[in-house]
């Protein structure tokens, strides 16, 4: 598995659920089966599409929140 940061892309040996347990749950949130996002890097949210959220991160990276995680994201963001 790999981890993308502002400093580059790094190989990570832990499984995603292990990283999720170790990271600050107020800063990092799981948005799909394959992604965890740093909420401090979110620059825009698009809630226009029914049942999904499009996140734009610093640098222009676009991520889609899986429907399974929409409620969790809204709670984390206070929406």
């Amino acid at each position: 598995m790999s981890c993308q940061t502002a400093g580059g892309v790094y190989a990570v040996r832990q499984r995603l659920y292990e990283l999720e347990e170790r990271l600050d749950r107020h800063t990092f949130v799981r948005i799909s089966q394959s992604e965890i996002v740093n909420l401090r890097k979110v620059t825009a949210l698009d809630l226009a599409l029914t049942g999904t959220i499009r996140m734009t991160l610093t640098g222009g990276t676009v991520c889609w929140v899986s429907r399974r995680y929409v409620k969790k994201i809204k709670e984390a963001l206070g929406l």
Side-chain angles (χ1 to χ4, degrees), residues 35-51:
E35 293 180 282
I36 294 176
V37 170
N38 181 343
L39 293 176
R40 293 180 181 162
K41 300 297 181 180
V42 175
T43 58
L45 293 173
D46 183 358
L47 302 156
L49 297 171
T50 305

Side-chain angles (χ1 to χ4, degrees), residues 1-16:
M1 175 175 40
S2 63
C3 174
Q4 181 177 344
T5 69
V9 178
Y10 303 93
V12 179
R13 293 180 188 249
Q14 291 91 358
R15 296 186 184 274
L16 207 56

Side-chain angles (χ1 to χ4, degrees), residues 25-66:
R25 64 184 180 94
H26 299 292
T27 305
F28 294 91
V29 66
R30 191 165 187 162
I31 64 167
S32 70
Q33 278 191 314
S34 60
E35 293 180 282
I36 294 176
V37 170
N38 181 343
L39 293 176
R40 293 180 181 162
K41 300 297 181 180
V42 175
T43 58
L45 293 173
D46 183 358
L47 302 156
L49 297 171
T50 305
T52 61
I53 299 174
R54 185 178 79 173
M55 288 184 158
T56 304
L57 306 177
T58 304
T61 302
V62 174
C63 301
W64 293 91
V65 177
S66 169

